[in-house]
Amino acid sequence: MRKMRFAVAIALIVGLIVAVTGYAGQVEILGVKFPTQKVIAGKTLQLNGVSYLKKFGFVKVYAVGLYLEEPTQDPVEVIESEQVKYMLTHYLTSKATAKKIREGFIELMEAGNPETLVAANRSDIEQYAAWLDKDMAPGLSSESLYVPGKGLTLTYQGEVRGTIPGAVFAQMYYRYNVGENANRKIRDGLLGKK
């Protein structure tokens, strides 16, 4: 009887530890910790996946996490679904100049989306790129938040820079991150496939 009580007590303690750990969980990548849940725009979002970018195999550029209301490994769902979506990018280098970030953003938007869509939304691409106007350094971050009916908002180094209204630009943004022409490592990580 005593052994049974001890076993039940141990099981309860283990269950409590698992419950607390699951609630306050984090995923760490390149030393950056991403909480598994975030409350944003009044919604509880789940960490869908994380990834990182390195240049030349050793220069750590950034670590990035994608949060969704409804986690999914389906890139089309990430791109087209009308739910709150949030992407948090932590920079890990001082070599990410504003010029490089702007040029990289435009290049990726062009490569990740159909030419006709890029042409039709050129002014929005240029506007968003113009907000990327400060050099990054370790510890600084960039945040993108899509709210259905509102649009995609950029917060850059803690400052809200602006919102591109509607769903089309946001879909283009998420397509360059998880679409078929996206960087495979980034895509698979954000989709939770690795």
Side-chain angles (χ1 to χ4, degrees), residues 122-143:
R122 176 62 65 188
S123 62
D124 286 341
I125 294 170
E126 296 293 341
Q127 176 61 73
Y128 195 93
W131 293 332
L132 306 170
D133 60 353
K134 296 179 185 173
D135 296 348
M136 281 297 191
L140 297 177
S141 64
S142 176
E143 304 164 65

Side-chain angles (χ1 to χ4, degrees), residues 2 10 13 18 21 37 39 42-43 45 47 52 59-60 64 84 92 100 104 117-119 138 145-146 149 163 166:
R2 204 174 202 178
I10 293 296
I13 290 169
V18 169
T21 304
Q37 282 188 346
V39 177
K43 303 284 186 178
L45 307 186
L47 182 62
Y52 64 88
V59 177
K60 299 173 186 175
V64 60
V84 174
L92 305 169
K100 287 180 184 174
L117 201 54
V118 170
L145 172 64
Y146 175 70
T163 300

Side-chain angles (χ1 to χ4, degrees), residues 55-69:
K55 290 288 189 179
F56 314 114
F58 64 92
V59 177
K60 299 173 186 175
V61 180
Y62 62 73
V64 60
L66 172 64
Y67 291 83
L68 301 172
E69 286 183 70

Side-chain angles (χ1 to χ4, degrees):
M1 188 70 169
R2 204 174 202 178
K3 286 182 181 178
M4 185 181 229
R5 282 188 198 151
F6 180 74
V8 169
I10 293 296
L12 287 173
I13 290 169
V14 168
L16 183 60
I17 289 170
V18 169
V20 169
T21 304
Y23 177 74
Q26 293 182 331
V27 174
E28 186 173 333
I29 187 165
L30 297 183
V32 178
K33 293 178 181 173
F34 291 90
T36 54
Q37 282 188 346
K38 274 185 167 288
V39 177
I40 298 172
K43 303 284 186 178
T44 300
L45 307 186
Q46 307 297 322
L47 182 62
N48 198 69
V50 296
S51 194
Y52 64 88
L53 179 67
K54 282 186 180 180
K55 290 288 189 179
F56 314 114
F58 64 92
V59 177
K60 299 173 186 175
V61 180
Y62 62 73
V64 60
L66 172 64
Y67 291 83
L68 301 172
E69 286 183 70
E70 301 292 332
T72 181
Q73 290 190 332
D74 179 2
V76 174
E77 188 69 19
V78 172
I79 294 163
E80 297 180 2
S81 64
E82 283 297 293
Q83 60 174 305
V84 174
K85 306 171 201 177
Y86 174 75
M87 207 141 85
L88 174 60
T89 305
H90 287 281
Y91 281 82
L92 305 169
T93 180
S94 57
K95 300 200 181 299
T97 64
K99 182 177 188 288
K100 287 180 184 174
I101 293 169
R102 279 193 310 270
E103 289 173 354
F105 170 75
I106 292 169
E107 182 181 308
L108 290 169
M109 285 291 274
E110 290 173 346
N113 288 283
E115 285 181 31
T116 53
L117 201 54
V118 170
N121 293 277
R122 176 62 65 188
S123 62
D124 286 341
I125 294 170
E126 296 293 341
Q127 176 61 73
Y128 195 93
W131 293 332
L132 306 170
D133 60 353
K134 296 179 185 173
D135 296 348
M136 281 297 191
L140 297 177
S141 64
S142 176
E143 304 164 65
S144 64
L145 172 64
Y146 175 70
V147 176
K150 184 176 180 186
L152 186 73
T153 300
L154 172 66
T155 301
Y156 196 69
Q157 297 185 3
E159 178 187 343
V160 176
R161 301 310 308 273
T163 300
I164 305 291
V168 174
F169 180 82
Q171 289 178 1
M172 293 175 69
Y173 179 85
Y174 290 105
R175 187 176 293 111
Y176 99 69
N177 282 286
V178 301
E180 62 183 50
N181 293 330
N183 173 297
R184 289 290 162 212
K185 180 173 198 44
I186 301 290
R187 178 183 195 267
D188 289 349
L190 294 179
L191 292 175
K193 293 186 175 181
K194 59 176 190 168

